[in-house]
Every structure is written in structure tokens, then in C-alpha cells.
Amino acid sequence: MRRREPLRVFLAEDDLEVRRLLAHALRKDGHTVIEFESGTQLLEFLGTLSRGASEESRPDVIVSDNRMPGKSGLDVLASLREVGWRTPFVLTTAFGDAATHARARAAGAFAVFDKPFDVDDLRTVVLNAGRPTGAVGSKVP
């Protein structure tokens, strides 16, 4: 069985400073963090993983900003869920209106954070999201 801690976290955030801050905090917790600067880049990488990558190279948790160039975090989440990929997904957004939260929850987001948020809260949610043993889809668009 795959060890659940430290976790393998995929982080998509187009703001370099925010991405660095979040990645640093998660790495301090011992997690492996793979960074992406767009939802499109994240989705493309997940697609390559679905074509033969080992279980150890798959993410335990995905953290993604919503508004990014190309694919939004909600686009990525919807695409993953459409093909059965069930990795816990944490959405962050600077535009956290009720409709965005509702769409994220309906699509299966584990959590939604409105910016600015407490990084320690995100760290806790990532750890909790990575604990359950959920089914991970075998393909990505």
C-alpha cells in the first residue's frame, strides 16, 4: 500500500509569488510539490500521467487557483471528474462568490478557499484531503 505521508501535491497557480508561498509552506510539511503555472499545464501533465505513470507519480491532492490563463481550476476539476479521476481537489479563488462555491462543490471539490486565506488552514486541509484512500481515475482528458 502506498504511504500517505508525505503527500504528493500538484499545485496550479498563475501568480508566481502566491505559488512560491504555498509550495514553500507545503514543502516545509514534508510534502512533494509539483508546480504548474496554469490549469492547462496541469491538465496536460495529468494526461501524460494517465498514460502509463506509476501510482507513486500520481498526486495525492491537487490544489488549484480558479482564474488562470487557459483552463480555470473549475475547468480542470470538471474535466477530471468527467473521466472518473477522484483525487481530492482544493480550489482557491480571489473571486469566491456563492455561485463559484456552489459549482466547485457540485463538481466534487474537497474544499474551496477564498483569497486571502490562512496558509495554515490550507496546510491542514491538504493533509486531511490526502488521508482518505479514494479511487483515482485511470485516464485524464
Side-chain angles (χ1 to χ4, degrees):
M1 174 178 224
R2 185 171 172 201
R3 187 171 170 221
R4 296 314 250 166
E5 292 181 58
L7 301 171
R8 187 170 170 88
V9 180
F10 284 13
L11 172 64
E13 169 62 63
D14 61 320
D15 183 309
L16 178 61
E17 293 304 315
V18 172
R19 190 172 67 243
R20 283 181 177 166
L21 172 73
L22 298 178
H24 176 74
L26 293 168
R27 286 183 180 121
K28 275 183 67 174
D29 290 339
H31 305 308
T32 299
V33 180
I34 310 299
E35 299 177 44
F36 303 92
E37 57 190 44
S38 73
T40 303
Q41 187 183 47
L42 169 61
L43 202 53
E44 289 171 357
F45 189 78
L46 289 169
T48 64
L49 286 182
S50 69
R51 295 185 290 275
S54 68
E55 179 68 21
E56 287 75 29
S57 64
R58 294 176 183 258
D60 295 303
V61 179
I62 297 170
V63 177
S64 178
D65 185 25
N66 189 35
R67 288 194 183 176
M68 296 180 285
K71 301 277 186 184
S72 72
L74 282 172
D75 293 337
V76 172
L77 176 58
S79 294
L80 294 175
R81 296 310 189 238
E82 282 176 15
V83 297
W85 194 289
R86 299 289 169 227
T87 302
F89 196 100
V90 178
L91 186 74
T92 65
T93 181
F95 306 95
D97 59 14
T100 300
H101 281 256
R103 286 182 59 209
R105 296 284 182 198
F110 185 85
V112 179
F113 282 90
D114 290 332
K115 294 177 181 177
F117 55 83
D118 186 323
V119 174
D120 288 337
D121 291 341
L122 177 73
R123 292 170 55 213
T124 299
V125 165
V126 165
L127 185 60
N128 289 333
R131 284 187 181 152
T133 55
V136 177
S138 60
K139 62 180 182 172
V140 177

